[in-house]
Amino acid sequence: MAIGLFTPTWDPAQWLSTFRAHAPDIEIRAFPELGARGDIEFAVAWLPKPGSLQDLPNLKVIFSLGAGVDAILRDDTLPKAIPIVRVVEPDLTHRMSEYVMMQVLMHHRQQWRIEENQRAKKWDSFATPAASDFRVGIMGFGVLGQDAGQKLKMMGYDVAGWSQHRKNVPGIESFAGHGELDAFLARTDILVVLLPHTPETHGILNRALFAKLSRSGPFGAPILINAGRGKLQVESDILASLEAGELHGVSLDVFETEPLVKESPLWNHSKVHVSPHSAADSDPVHITRYIVHQIHRAQAGKPLDNVVDRKRGY
Ligand code: NDP
Ligand code: OXD
């Protein structure tokens, strides 16, 4: 019995040594050096090479090394009946909330303007609105969205969430489904996106959607923060909306194509803040512990947690 590690874009060394430390009883091998493929009972994957998870006759579970599983699901050769488990782990959740709180505050407090002023030695003590003056809308009100939403609420923001199904989170208004999307957008000054990428959410962040956001917030135009997936957004529409003043500012952690190409105008745009898909890193120690715990559960015949619903795609 062995674990197969499928992380072609990452250096496998750290994951191999973390797994060996946390599960010394289980052999772990990194693709493509899998040895006898029949030995592999558990696959651990991040952006696996399409086709690499097929022909593993004794595979029991595929573990994603992240919360999102879009890159695993888009492989047409993926074995059909094998459960896919995603990451739901406090360390990752807290990291995402750090990113969301930081970005919301950077926009709200106009921190980039302050830094520009410092460089120009300009003493410009402009008025700053209160957190309660901003209505933040979290699009994708799941594990990550709810944690970030609750923390923003504690900071004084007026928070709402949008998801497929209604949520019951004290003090946070929950909007559900397409029927309530427009009302959610109309009350949103700062849009935080933590949706998964699925056929339904592909390209959802487009100019038509931005036009439905509130124009009555402190800046007179809305702010977009996307840390969900790049394929949710239409980057040419983001640029056009910024140009037209329909968006006030944007923070993007994820992109249509990653890494973001050097030629992209997003890099140098004064109203766009780019980070390299680093909002919430998968920490090897925390995530390995989480996966090893689940492997031991599976070996004991107990049910797995956080199994992905393949039909809905997340
Ligand atoms: P969850 O599955 O817990 O939450 C997803 C949320 O999106 C749910 O509330 C779900 O609704 C909602 N949703 C999905 N599809 C739709 C739709 N068509 N219409 C309305 N709502 C929809 O996932 P997580 O919170 O754990 O993670 C969210 C995403 O964040 C990941 O899929 C990944 O893409 C991204 N991510 C990015 C990272 C980064 O570093 N940039 C790090 C980690 C994750 P419902 O609850 O009703 O089902
Ligand atoms: C994830 C990610 O899905 O890091 O966890 O993007």
Side-chain angles (χ1 to χ4, degrees):
M1 194 271 275
I3 300 172
L5 181 70
F6 299 80
T7 55
T9 60
W10 288 350
D11 177 358
Q14 192 178 7
W15 288 95
L16 288 173
S17 71
T18 316
F19 267 95
R20 284 174 185 140
H22 286 81
D25 51 323
I26 311 177
E27 203 182 326
I28 177 153
R29 305 173 190 160
F31 178 84
E33 314 296 331
L34 294 179
R37 295 180 73 90
D39 293 348
I40 306 298
E41 292 190 13
F42 301 100
V44 173
W46 182 248
L47 306 182
K49 203 166 151 239
S52 60
L53 293 165
Q54 66 181 337
D55 300 330
L56 298 167
N58 295 312
L59 188 63
K60 291 189 170 60
V61 186
I62 298 170
F63 291 99
S64 167
L65 279 175
V69 289
D70 45 323
I72 294 177
L73 290 178
R74 70 173 162 246
D75 180 353
D76 293 336
T77 69
L78 201 64
K80 299 256 176 308
I82 306 292
I84 300 169
V85 170
R86 69 188 200 92
V87 171
V88 176
E89 208 283 330
D91 179 76
L92 185 116
T93 304
H94 297 156
R95 286 166 189 259
M96 181 57 84
S97 292
E98 286 169 14
Y99 168 86
V100 171
M101 289 187 293
M102 177 183 73
Q103 293 301 330
V104 168
L105 278 167
M106 293 288 273
H107 285 283
H108 158 195
R109 303 288 307 205
Q110 302 184 68
Q111 185 58 26
W112 293 289
R113 178 175 167 189
I114 290 171
E115 285 167 17
E116 217 176 287
N117 286 343
Q118 180 182 346
R119 281 191 292 276
K121 301 185 179 173
K122 187 170 158 194
W123 187 269
D124 175 16
S125 182
F126 52 80
T128 297
S132 56
D133 295 333
F134 289 91
R135 291 165 302 168
V136 181
I138 315 249
M139 203 174 179
F141 202 45
V143 173
L144 302 182
Q146 289 180 36
D147 190 72
Q150 283 166 305
K151 286 170 178 166
L152 290 168
K153 173 87 200 156
M154 275 170 59
M155 288 161 69
Y157 294 97
D158 180 355
V159 183
W162 182 71
S163 45
Q164 302 250 46
H165 310 96
R166 202 172 307 289
K167 309 293 176 202
N168 187 5
V169 180
I172 299 186
E173 192 176 358
S174 166
F175 293 80
H178 274 279
E180 296 182 10
L181 178 57
D182 286 5
F184 165 79
L185 296 170
R187 54 78 61 210
T188 294
D189 305 316
I190 301 180
L191 182 66
V192 174
V193 184
L194 290 170
L195 282 168
H197 178 232
T198 67
E200 284 74 44
T201 62
H202 184 88
I204 194 169
L205 302 178
N206 55 47
R207 197 161 173 185
L209 181 139
F210 304 144
K212 293 177 181 169
L213 288 162
S214 152
R215 297 269 173 287
S216 58
F219 299 141
I223 284 164
L224 168 68
I225 299 170
N226 182 18
R229 279 292 180 266
K231 287 187 165 47
L232 302 172
Q233 72 205 15
V234 180
E235 287 166 12
S236 55
D237 280 11
I238 292 178
L239 289 161
S241 296
L242 282 166
E243 220 47 55
E246 294 158 5
L247 284 174
H248 178 78
V250 174
S251 291
L252 302 175
D253 184 58
V254 287
F255 301 90
E256 284 175 22
T257 302
E258 294 180 10
L260 181 60
V261 294
K262 294 252 187 295
E263 300 71 38
S264 171
L266 293 169
W267 284 111
N268 296 324
H269 198 293
S270 61
K271 293 185 171 165
V272 179
H273 305 283
V274 166
S275 54
H277 197 143
S278 56
D281 283 340
S282 290
D283 172 71
V285 171
H286 286 93
I287 306 302
T288 300
R289 263 200 224 122
Y290 166 79
I291 292 175
V292 168
H293 175 69
Q294 292 244 43
I295 288 177
H296 287 147
R297 282 177 67 82
Q299 287 174 321
K302 293 187 180 156
L304 295 159
D305 293 328
N306 308 312
V307 175
V308 169
D309 180 337
R310 287 203 193 198
K311 267 209 210 92
R312 59 178 202 179
Y314 64 98

Short mmCIF file of all heavy atoms in Angstrom, two decimals, residues 82-127:
data_model
loop_
_atom_site.label_atom_id
_atom_site.label_comp_id
_atom_site.label_asym_id
_atom_site.label_seq_id
_atom_site.Cartn_x
_atom_site.Cartn_y
_atom_site.Cartn_z
N ILE A 82 -14.21 7.06 -7.76
CA ILE A 82 -13.32 7.29 -6.61
C ILE A 82 -13.69 8.60 -5.92
O ILE A 82 -13.79 9.64 -6.57
CB ILE A 82 -11.85 7.38 -7.08
CG1 ILE A 82 -11.45 6.16 -7.92
CG2 ILE A 82 -10.88 7.57 -5.92
CD1 ILE A 82 -11.37 4.87 -7.17
N PRO A 83 -13.89 8.59 -4.59
CA PRO A 83 -14.21 9.85 -3.91
C PRO A 83 -13.04 10.84 -3.96
O PRO A 83 -11.87 10.44 -3.89
CB PRO A 83 -14.50 9.42 -2.47
CG PRO A 83 -13.92 8.06 -2.32
CD PRO A 83 -13.85 7.44 -3.67
N ILE A 84 -13.40 12.11 -4.07
CA ILE A 84 -12.39 13.18 -4.04
C ILE A 84 -12.64 13.98 -2.76
O ILE A 84 -13.77 14.42 -2.52
CB ILE A 84 -12.53 14.10 -5.27
CG1 ILE A 84 -12.35 13.28 -6.55
CG2 ILE A 84 -11.50 15.24 -5.21
CD1 ILE A 84 -12.72 14.04 -7.81
N VAL A 85 -11.60 14.13 -1.96
CA VAL A 85 -11.72 14.86 -0.69
C VAL A 85 -10.98 16.18 -0.84
O VAL A 85 -9.85 16.21 -1.33
CB VAL A 85 -11.12 14.02 0.46
CG1 VAL A 85 -11.00 14.85 1.73
CG2 VAL A 85 -11.96 12.78 0.70
N ARG A 86 -11.63 17.28 -0.44
CA ARG A 86 -10.96 18.59 -0.55
C ARG A 86 -10.49 19.05 0.83
O ARG A 86 -10.86 18.45 1.85
CB ARG A 86 -11.89 19.62 -1.19
CG ARG A 86 -13.05 20.00 -0.30
CD ARG A 86 -14.06 20.86 -1.04
NE ARG A 86 -14.89 21.58 -0.07
CZ ARG A 86 -14.62 22.79 0.39
NH1 ARG A 86 -13.55 23.44 -0.02
NH2 ARG A 86 -15.41 23.38 1.27
N VAL A 87 -9.70 20.12 0.84
CA VAL A 87 -9.19 20.62 2.12
C VAL A 87 -10.23 21.53 2.79
O VAL A 87 -10.68 22.51 2.19
CB VAL A 87 -7.87 21.40 1.93
CG1 VAL A 87 -7.48 22.10 3.23
CG2 VAL A 87 -6.76 20.46 1.48
N VAL A 88 -10.59 21.16 4.00
CA VAL A 88 -11.34 22.05 4.88
C VAL A 88 -10.57 21.99 6.18
O VAL A 88 -10.64 21.00 6.92
CB VAL A 88 -12.80 21.58 5.08
CG1 VAL A 88 -13.53 22.47 6.07
CG2 VAL A 88 -13.54 21.55 3.74
N GLU A 89 -9.80 23.01 6.46
CA GLU A 89 -8.81 22.93 7.54
C GLU A 89 -8.61 24.34 8.09
O GLU A 89 -8.43 25.28 7.31
CB GLU A 89 -7.51 22.36 6.93
CG GLU A 89 -6.63 21.60 7.88
CD GLU A 89 -5.84 22.53 8.78
OE1 GLU A 89 -5.52 23.66 8.33
OE2 GLU A 89 -5.56 22.16 9.92
N PRO A 90 -8.66 24.50 9.42
CA PRO A 90 -8.64 25.85 9.98
C PRO A 90 -7.45 26.70 9.55
O PRO A 90 -7.60 27.90 9.33
CB PRO A 90 -8.62 25.61 11.50
CG PRO A 90 -9.15 24.24 11.69
CD PRO A 90 -8.83 23.45 10.46
N ASP A 91 -6.28 26.10 9.40
CA ASP A 91 -5.10 26.90 9.03
C ASP A 91 -5.33 27.59 7.68
O ASP A 91 -5.06 28.78 7.52
CB ASP A 91 -3.86 26.00 8.97
CG ASP A 91 -2.62 26.78 8.56
OD1 ASP A 91 -2.08 27.52 9.40
OD2 ASP A 91 -2.21 26.66 7.39
N LEU A 92 -5.84 26.83 6.72
CA LEU A 92 -6.10 27.39 5.38
C LEU A 92 -7.22 28.44 5.46
O LEU A 92 -7.13 29.52 4.87
CB LEU A 92 -6.48 26.28 4.40
CG LEU A 92 -6.66 26.74 2.97
CD1 LEU A 92 -5.62 26.10 2.06
CD2 LEU A 92 -8.04 26.44 2.43
N THR A 93 -8.25 28.13 6.23
CA THR A 93 -9.37 29.07 6.37
C THR A 93 -8.88 30.40 6.96
O THR A 93 -9.23 31.48 6.47
CB THR A 93 -10.45 28.45 7.28
OG1 THR A 93 -10.84 27.20 6.73
CG2 THR A 93 -11.67 29.35 7.41
N HIS A 94 -8.06 30.30 8.01
CA HIS A 94 -7.61 31.54 8.67
C HIS A 94 -6.70 32.36 7.74
O HIS A 94 -6.73 33.58 7.74
CB HIS A 94 -6.88 31.21 9.98
CG HIS A 94 -7.79 30.55 10.98
ND1 HIS A 94 -7.33 29.75 11.99
CD2 HIS A 94 -9.14 30.55 11.09
CE1 HIS A 94 -8.37 29.30 12.69
NE2 HIS A 94 -9.47 29.76 12.16
N ARG A 95 -5.90 31.65 6.94
CA ARG A 95 -5.04 32.38 5.99
C ARG A 95 -5.88 33.16 4.99
O ARG A 95 -5.57 34.30 4.64
CB ARG A 95 -4.13 31.40 5.23
CG ARG A 95 -3.00 30.85 6.08
CD ARG A 95 -2.36 29.65 5.38
NE ARG A 95 -1.43 28.99 6.27
CZ ARG A 95 -0.10 29.15 6.23
NH1 ARG A 95 0.45 29.92 5.33
NH2 ARG A 95 0.67 28.53 7.09
N MET A 96 -6.96 32.52 4.50
CA MET A 96 -7.80 33.24 3.54
C MET A 96 -8.46 34.46 4.21
O MET A 96 -8.54 35.53 3.60
CB MET A 96 -8.87 32.30 2.97
CG MET A 96 -9.78 32.98 1.95
SD MET A 96 -8.87 33.70 0.54
CE MET A 96 -8.70 32.29 -0.53
N SER A 97 -8.88 34.30 5.43
CA SER A 97 -9.50 35.44 6.11
C SER A 97 -8.50 36.57 6.31
O SER A 97 -8.85 37.75 6.22
CB SER A 97 -10.11 35.01 7.45
OG SER A 97 -11.21 34.17 7.19
N GLU A 98 -7.23 36.21 6.56
CA GLU A 98 -6.19 37.25 6.66
C GLU A 98 -6.14 38.06 5.37
O GLU A 98 -6.09 39.29 5.37
CB GLU A 98 -4.80 36.62 6.86
CG GLU A 98 -4.53 36.05 8.23
CD GLU A 98 -3.25 35.20 8.24
OE1 GLU A 98 -2.45 35.28 7.29
OE2 GLU A 98 -3.06 34.46 9.21
N TYR A 99 -6.12 37.32 4.24
CA TYR A 99 -6.03 38.00 2.94
C TYR A 99 -7.24 38.90 2.73
O TYR A 99 -7.11 40.06 2.32
CB TYR A 99 -5.94 36.95 1.81
CG TYR A 99 -6.14 37.55 0.43
CD1 TYR A 99 -5.06 38.09 -0.27
CD2 TYR A 99 -7.41 37.61 -0.16
CE1 TYR A 99 -5.25 38.67 -1.53
CE2 TYR A 99 -7.60 38.18 -1.40
CZ TYR A 99 -6.52 38.71 -2.08
OH TYR A 99 -6.71 39.30 -3.31
N VAL A 100 -8.41 38.36 3.01
CA VAL A 100 -9.64 39.13 2.74
C VAL A 100 -9.68 40.38 3.62
O VAL A 100 -9.93 41.49 3.14
CB VAL A 100 -10.89 38.25 2.97
CG1 VAL A 100 -12.16 39.09 2.92
CG2 VAL A 100 -10.96 37.13 1.93
N MET A 101 -9.37 40.22 4.91
CA MET A 101 -9.41 41.39 5.81
C MET A 101 -8.38 42.43 5.37
O MET A 101 -8.65 43.63 5.37
CB MET A 101 -9.15 40.95 7.25
CG MET A 101 -10.32 40.18 7.83
SD MET A 101 -10.11 39.85 9.59
CE MET A 101 -8.74 38.72 9.58
N MET A 102 -7.19 41.94 4.99
CA MET A 102 -6.15 42.88 4.57
C MET A 102 -6.59 43.65 3.33
O MET A 102 -6.47 44.88 3.27
CB MET A 102 -4.85 42.13 4.28
CG MET A 102 -3.76 43.05 3.77
SD MET A 102 -2.26 42.16 3.36
CE MET A 102 -2.76 41.35 1.86
N GLN A 103 -7.13 42.95 2.35
CA GLN A 103 -7.51 43.64 1.10
C GLN A 103 -8.65 44.62 1.35
O GLN A 103 -8.64 45.74 0.85
CB GLN A 103 -7.90 42.62 0.02
CG GLN A 103 -6.75 41.76 -0.46
CD GLN A 103 -5.59 42.56 -1.05
OE1 GLN A 103 -5.78 43.64 -1.62
NE2 GLN A 103 -4.39 42.05 -0.91
N VAL A 104 -9.64 44.18 2.13
CA VAL A 104 -10.76 45.09 2.41
C VAL A 104 -10.23 46.35 3.10
O VAL A 104 -10.56 47.48 2.73
CB VAL A 104 -11.84 44.37 3.26
CG1 VAL A 104 -12.86 45.36 3.81
CG2 VAL A 104 -12.55 43.30 2.43
N LEU A 105 -9.36 46.15 4.09
CA LEU A 105 -8.82 47.31 4.82
C LEU A 105 -7.94 48.19 3.92
O LEU A 105 -7.98 49.43 4.02
CB LEU A 105 -8.00 46.83 6.02
CG LEU A 105 -8.82 46.48 7.26
CD1 LEU A 105 -7.97 45.73 8.28
CD2 LEU A 105 -9.40 47.75 7.91
N MET A 106 -7.13 47.57 3.07
CA MET A 106 -6.25 48.35 2.19
C MET A 106 -7.07 49.28 1.30
O MET A 106 -6.71 50.44 1.08
CB MET A 106 -5.39 47.44 1.31
CG MET A 106 -4.37 46.62 2.06
SD MET A 106 -2.96 47.55 2.69
CE MET A 106 -1.87 47.52 1.31
N HIS A 107 -8.20 48.76 0.79
CA HIS A 107 -9.06 49.61 -0.05
C HIS A 107 -9.77 50.65 0.80
O HIS A 107 -9.75 51.85 0.49
CB HIS A 107 -10.09 48.74 -0.80
CG HIS A 107 -9.50 47.98 -1.94
ND1 HIS A 107 -9.21 48.55 -3.15
CD2 HIS A 107 -9.16 46.67 -2.06
CE1 HIS A 107 -8.70 47.63 -3.98
NE2 HIS A 107 -8.66 46.49 -3.33
N HIS A 108 -10.40 50.18 1.86
CA HIS A 108 -11.18 51.08 2.72
C HIS A 108 -10.32 52.22 3.26
O HIS A 108 -10.69 53.38 3.18
CB HIS A 108 -11.79 50.22 3.85
CG HIS A 108 -12.17 50.96 5.10
ND1 HIS A 108 -12.44 50.30 6.26
CD2 HIS A 108 -12.33 52.27 5.39
CE1 HIS A 108 -12.75 51.17 7.20
NE2 HIS A 108 -12.68 52.37 6.71
N ARG A 109 -9.12 51.87 3.76
CA ARG A 109 -8.27 52.90 4.39
C ARG A 109 -7.39 53.62 3.36
O ARG A 109 -6.56 54.46 3.74
CB ARG A 109 -7.38 52.26 5.47
CG ARG A 109 -8.13 51.52 6.57
CD ARG A 109 -8.85 52.44 7.52
NE ARG A 109 -7.97 53.45 8.07
CZ ARG A 109 -8.16 54.07 9.23
NH1 ARG A 109 -9.18 53.75 10.00
NH2 ARG A 109 -7.32 55.01 9.64
N GLN A 110 -7.56 53.24 2.09
CA GLN A 110 -6.80 53.86 0.98
C GLN A 110 -5.30 53.82 1.27
O GLN A 110 -4.58 54.82 1.11
CB GLN A 110 -7.28 55.29 0.73
CG GLN A 110 -8.78 55.32 0.40
CD GLN A 110 -9.25 56.71 0.05
OE1 GLN A 110 -8.88 57.25 -0.97
NE2 GLN A 110 -10.04 57.30 0.93
N GLN A 111 -4.84 52.66 1.68
CA GLN A 111 -3.45 52.52 2.09
C GLN A 111 -2.46 52.77 0.94
O GLN A 111 -1.39 53.32 1.14
CB GLN A 111 -3.23 51.12 2.70
CG GLN A 111 -1.86 50.89 3.28
CD GLN A 111 -1.47 51.88 4.38
OE1 GLN A 111 -2.34 52.44 5.07
NE2 GLN A 111 -0.19 52.14 4.53
N TRP A 112 -2.87 52.39 -0.28
CA TRP A 112 -1.95 52.59 -1.41
C TRP A 112 -1.77 54.09 -1.68
O TRP A 112 -0.69 54.54 -2.02
CB TRP A 112 -2.46 51.86 -2.65
CG TRP A 112 -2.41 50.36 -2.49
CD1 TRP A 112 -1.28 49.60 -2.45
CD2 TRP A 112 -3.50 49.46 -2.30
NE1 TRP A 112 -1.61 48.27 -2.26
CE2 TRP A 112 -2.96 48.15 -2.17
CE3 TRP A 112 -4.89 49.61 -2.23
CZ2 TRP A 112 -3.75 47.02 -1.98
CZ3 TRP A 112 -5.67 48.48 -2.06
CH2 TRP A 112 -5.11 47.22 -1.92
N ARG A 113 -2.86 54.85 -1.48
CA ARG A 113 -2.79 56.31 -1.67
C ARG A 113 -1.86 56.92 -0.61
O ARG A 113 -1.05 57.80 -0.90
CB ARG A 113 -4.21 56.89 -1.55
CG ARG A 113 -4.31 58.35 -1.68
CD ARG A 113 -5.78 58.74 -1.68
NE ARG A 113 -5.96 60.17 -1.49
CZ ARG A 113 -7.13 60.75 -1.27
NH1 ARG A 113 -8.24 60.02 -1.23
NH2 ARG A 113 -7.22 62.05 -1.09
N ILE A 114 -1.95 56.39 0.60
CA ILE A 114 -1.09 56.90 1.69
C ILE A 114 0.39 56.63 1.37
O ILE A 114 1.25 57.49 1.56
CB ILE A 114 -1.50 56.25 3.04
CG1 ILE A 114 -2.86 56.80 3.49
CG2 ILE A 114 -0.44 56.46 4.12
CD1 ILE A 114 -3.48 56.09 4.68
N GLU A 115 0.65 55.44 0.83
CA GLU A 115 2.05 55.09 0.51
C GLU A 115 2.58 55.94 -0.65
O GLU A 115 3.74 56.38 -0.63
CB GLU A 115 2.16 53.60 0.18
CG GLU A 115 2.06 52.76 1.45
CD GLU A 115 1.84 51.28 1.20
OE1 GLU A 115 2.05 50.81 0.07
OE2 GLU A 115 1.41 50.61 2.16
N GLU A 116 1.70 56.20 -1.62
CA GLU A 116 2.08 57.06 -2.74
C GLU A 116 2.40 58.47 -2.23
O GLU A 116 3.40 59.08 -2.60
CB GLU A 116 0.89 57.14 -3.70
CG GLU A 116 1.25 57.18 -5.17
CD GLU A 116 -0.04 57.16 -5.97
OE1 GLU A 116 -0.67 56.09 -6.03
OE2 GLU A 116 -0.41 58.23 -6.49
N ASN A 117 1.56 58.95 -1.32
CA ASN A 117 1.77 60.27 -0.73
C ASN A 117 3.09 60.32 0.05
O ASN A 117 3.81 61.31 0.01
CB ASN A 117 0.62 60.63 0.22
CG ASN A 117 -0.63 61.01 -0.54
OD1 ASN A 117 -0.57 61.30 -1.74
ND2 ASN A 117 -1.77 60.99 0.13
N GLN A 118 3.38 59.22 0.75
CA GLN A 118 4.64 59.19 1.50
C GLN A 118 5.82 59.34 0.56
O GLN A 118 6.75 60.12 0.81
CB GLN A 118 4.78 57.89 2.29
CG GLN A 118 6.09 57.86 3.08
CD GLN A 118 6.30 56.56 3.86
OE1 GLN A 118 5.38 55.77 4.02
NE2 GLN A 118 7.50 56.34 4.32
N ARG A 119 5.77 58.57 -0.55
CA ARG A 119 6.88 58.63 -1.51
C ARG A 119 7.03 60.05 -2.07
O ARG A 119 8.11 60.52 -2.35
CB ARG A 119 6.68 57.61 -2.63
CG ARG A 119 7.08 56.20 -2.20
CD ARG A 119 7.13 55.25 -3.37
NE ARG A 119 5.80 54.98 -3.92
CZ ARG A 119 4.96 54.08 -3.44
NH1 ARG A 119 5.31 53.32 -2.41
NH2 ARG A 119 3.78 53.90 -3.99
N ALA A 120 5.89 60.75 -2.22
CA ALA A 120 5.92 62.12 -2.76
C ALA A 120 6.10 63.17 -1.65
O ALA A 120 6.03 64.37 -1.91
CB ALA A 120 4.63 62.39 -3.53
N LYS A 121 6.29 62.71 -0.40
CA LYS A 121 6.38 63.59 0.78
C LYS A 121 5.20 64.55 0.84
O LYS A 121 5.35 65.75 1.05
CB LYS A 121 7.72 64.35 0.76
CG LYS A 121 8.92 63.42 0.76
CD LYS A 121 10.21 64.17 0.88
CE LYS A 121 11.38 63.20 0.90
NZ LYS A 121 12.67 63.82 0.84
N LYS A 122 4.01 63.99 0.62
CA LYS A 122 2.80 64.81 0.56
C LYS A 122 1.97 64.55 1.81
O LYS A 122 1.58 63.41 2.09
CB LYS A 122 2.02 64.39 -0.69
CG LYS A 122 0.82 65.22 -1.01
CD LYS A 122 0.32 64.83 -2.41
CE LYS A 122 -1.12 65.20 -2.59
NZ LYS A 122 -1.68 64.54 -3.77
N TRP A 123 1.72 65.60 2.59
CA TRP A 123 0.92 65.49 3.83
C TRP A 123 -0.54 65.75 3.45
O TRP A 123 -0.97 66.88 3.38
CB TRP A 123 1.42 66.52 4.84
CG TRP A 123 0.78 66.38 6.20
CD1 TRP A 123 -0.35 66.99 6.64
CD2 TRP A 123 1.25 65.58 7.27
NE1 TRP A 123 -0.63 66.62 7.93
CE2 TRP A 123 0.35 65.74 8.36
CE3 TRP A 123 2.35 64.72 7.45
CZ2 TRP A 123 0.51 65.11 9.58
CZ3 TRP A 123 2.50 64.10 8.68
CH2 TRP A 123 1.59 64.29 9.72
N ASP A 124 -1.27 64.67 3.18
CA ASP A 124 -2.65 64.80 2.71
C ASP A 124 -3.54 64.01 3.64
O ASP A 124 -3.72 62.81 3.48
CB ASP A 124 -2.74 64.27 1.26
CG ASP A 124 -4.16 64.27 0.74
OD1 ASP A 124 -5.02 64.94 1.35
OD2 ASP A 124 -4.42 63.59 -0.27
N SER A 125 -4.08 64.67 4.64
CA SER A 125 -4.85 63.97 5.66
C SER A 125 -6.32 63.92 5.24
O SER A 125 -7.16 64.62 5.79
CB SER A 125 -4.67 64.69 6.99
OG SER A 125 -5.37 64.01 7.98
N PHE A 126 -6.60 63.08 4.25
CA PHE A 126 -7.98 62.99 3.71
C PHE A 126 -8.89 62.27 4.70
O PHE A 126 -8.43 61.49 5.55
CB PHE A 126 -7.98 62.29 2.34
CG PHE A 126 -7.27 60.96 2.34
CD1 PHE A 126 -7.90 59.81 2.81
CD2 PHE A 126 -5.96 60.86 1.87
CE1 PHE A 126 -7.25 58.59 2.81
CE2 PHE A 126 -5.29 59.63 1.88
CZ PHE A 126 -5.94 58.50 2.36
N ALA A 127 -10.20 62.48 4.55
CA ALA A 127 -11.18 61.87 5.46
C ALA A 127 -11.30 60.38 5.16
O ALA A 127 -11.27 59.97 4.00
CB ALA A 127 -12.53 62.54 5.29
#
